[in-house]
Amino acid sequence: MAILCLGVLLIPLAAGLDFSYHPTKNNPSFTHLYSIGKSVEGRDLLVLFLGRFPTHHTTGIPEFKYIANMHGDETVGRELLLHLIDFLVTSYKCDPAITRLVNSTRIHIMPSMNPDGFEATKVPDCYYSEGRFNMNGEDLNRNFPDVFNENNVTFQPETIAVMNWIKKESFVLSANLHGGALVASYTFDNGNSATGSLQGYSQSLDDDVFVHLAKTYSLNHATMHRGNECGYKQSFPDGITNGYTWYRLKGKNGQVSRPKGATCCPCLPSRFWNQTTADHKLKPKESDNLSCPTGVKGQVLDENRTPIPGAIVEAKGRRHVCPYRTNRHGEYYLLLLPGSYVLNATAPGCESVLTTLQVPNGLENFSALKYDFLLPGASSRAGPASCPAKPLYQDNQHTSTARKPTLSFLGLMTVLYTTFT
């Protein structure tokens, strides 16, 4: 899923930005400012949307989100996203690559998940500032359900708002900007023996994709790829790390995402901003590298071509305990690097369907393979099923909720190279 120039923060050298700098009234054709909820002190959790369809999901166009400032004293990510907003808005219809990006992706940007903490951060400090936690004194980065262990915490207003947001939108990928280290960290942050954590590395079934995503960011950053720019911090080969290898963390947002440490110091004085934004700009002559891996997208349909919600589409060898299920539009998205894959689609009331697809390298034109599955006999009235609330990954269990496939090849194939970010 060619995920964006957002894979490498393209940021102009701008200053004095404010979130109200981009009100919808200025660019109503491709921006929409909305709130997903309130903080403890009642501040709006604001999100700026950018895309061709500002107020509603459109079939075939994936959703992407960026979040920053989860820790209120980690202000660098917040400022970087404000600069990114400015860059995308001012480049749209001027820069061909950015125009294609905005037209082919629904981009949601939340500069601050912890606005109360940000307001409480009065004095910049490289180690700890008063506003790190929310106003209930809770660490929002440890306040989500955990897929490996029970996380006995009281979910905070900010966390609940983000969880409801995730349920509402069909996000394909996301990223979370932190501060205090210069590294691109990837899934998993917690683990058990089933994910290899006994060896100090908690590996997801899509490890190849996440490593590629992390390297895409790191290698395009001015210094992150060196892996040791913070001096007193540990070194990170190629500027990336598996989250568990770095340190174990329970209760982090488990959605498909890749957190990044944007700077060694989480709260930089303003005099360092020119250099910081320059470091996060795309390297010269790399303007074609605006997307990360491609993959496969499409719909699961019944014999009347009615979308089937709640269907499962998986790649062989990547059977997740809680697999991606199609939304009410019957859509699925699989993050896959170029190569040959066997896809398995299953839905209530019918046998599974297998098909083999060759995923191309579609980076040059923001494209990916589109493949629609036809499942005769499947019910289009079933709603998307939710994953269990309790921990999902148990030791030595990698079974999927999908049925065993039959050797039936009833896929309805539409081999199109369509915009896929």
Side-chain angles (χ1 to χ4, degrees), residues 25 51 58 95 97 122 144 156 177 183 190 243 248 266 278 309 321 325 327 333 340 342 348 353 359 381 390 392-393:
K25 65 182 181 181
T58 300
D95 183 299
K122 304 299 183 184
F144 287 89
Q156 297 299 297
L177 294 181
V183 63
N190 200 354
R248 184 178 181 180
V321 175
R325 293 178 182 267
N327 59 20
Y333 297 87
S340 180
V342 176
V353 173
V359 176
R381 292 187 294 273
K390 293 185 178 296
L392 304 173
Y393 287 83

Side-chain angles (χ1 to χ4, degrees), residues 278-338:
D279 288 347
H280 284 269
K281 290 184 69 177
L282 195 63
K283 287 181 179 179
K285 298 183 180 179
E286 293 289 336
S287 59
D288 288 337
N289 189 21
L290 295 180
S291 52
C292 298
T294 57
V296 183
K297 69 173 182 178
Q299 290 178 281
V300 180
L301 309 167
D302 66 14
E303 62 268 33
N304 298 316
R305 300 189 64 83
T306 302
I308 301 173
I312 296 171
V313 180
E314 299 175 308
K316 185 177 180 180
R318 298 171 187 251
R319 291 187 170 186
H320 298 270
V321 175
C322 185
Y324 185 94
R325 293 178 182 267
T326 56
N327 59 20
R328 63 189 179 89
H329 305 286
E331 293 175 285
Y332 75 91
Y333 297 87
L334 294 180
L335 288 160
L336 298 169
L337 296 179

